Amino acid sequence: MTIGLALAILGAALAVILAGIGSILGVGKAGQTGAGLISEEPEKFGKVLLLQALPGTQGIYGFLAAIMVLQKIGLLGGEVVELTNAMGWQILAACLPIALAGLFSGLFQGKVSVAGMNVVAKQPGDAGKAIILSAMVETYAVLGLLATILLVNGIKIT
């Protein structure tokens, strides 16, 4: 295995791991609050479940980025390409937008979801507003994924 290939694999791994950590923290925090809420008001489970699930998408985005990188370098079928160190560094750097955006947006989306659950507890009719507020944080994870896709696709592998 060349250093370039190892760097590309590291980039893919960071996309999955960091975005996944963001989702774990966000979903976990929202789940703790949601469990407390539905223990007193079980009829609000549907609204709480949606707010808890929202921070989980960052992990999916990181996984998609990793699949794209692994496919580009030939580790998912096909022939493994020869990567120079420079190409490996480029792929690693291309994975950072979704890795970091996924980490932080998952964490903060969890916090906004917790606040949204407080809205659901006090004013159930405003659940849609709480969901929109939480989804706004998601925007930055989507932008991170798009940046990663554009960067990975722009890397020429010879």
Side-chain angles (χ1 to χ4, degrees):
M1 177 184 302
T2 64
I3 292 174
L5 184 60
L7 289 169
I9 292 170
L10 177 62
L14 286 174
V16 172
I17 293 168
L18 293 178
I21 289 171
S23 284
I24 291 167
L25 295 174
V27 170
K29 192 168 191 65
Q32 290 172 332
T33 301
L37 176 59
I38 62 170
S39 69
E40 294 182 13
E41 300 175 71
E43 70 277 2
K44 294 179 179 172
F45 175 73
K47 293 173 183 171
V48 168
L49 178 64
L50 184 57
L51 284 166
Q52 185 196 3
L54 282 173
T57 55
Q58 283 80 355
I60 296 169
Y61 299 157
F63 182 71
L64 288 174
I67 294 290
M68 203 175 99
V69 167
L70 296 177
Q71 197 163 22
K72 185 170 185 91
I73 62 176
L75 285 178
L76 293 181
E79 191 172 316
V80 178
V81 297
E82 290 289 325
L83 292 176
T84 64
N85 292 352
M87 288 187 283
W89 279 113
Q90 288 172 356
I91 292 173
L92 189 149
C95 292
L96 292 180
I98 187 53
L100 295 174
L103 172 65
F104 291 111
S105 71
L107 176 62
F108 284 97
Q109 193 171 33
K111 291 180 179 183
V112 175
S113 288
V114 166
M117 288 179 194
N118 291 329
V119 170
V120 170
K122 294 177 183 170
Q123 299 171 342
D126 287 339
K129 293 175 184 171
I131 291 168
I132 289 170
L133 291 173
S134 184
M136 292 300 294
V137 181
E138 179 101 10
T139 304
Y140 298 97
V142 171
L143 291 175
L145 176 62
L146 290 174
T148 292
I149 289 170
L150 292 172
L151 290 168
V152 168
N153 282 334
I155 296 170
K156 301 268 188 246
I157 295 179
T158 55

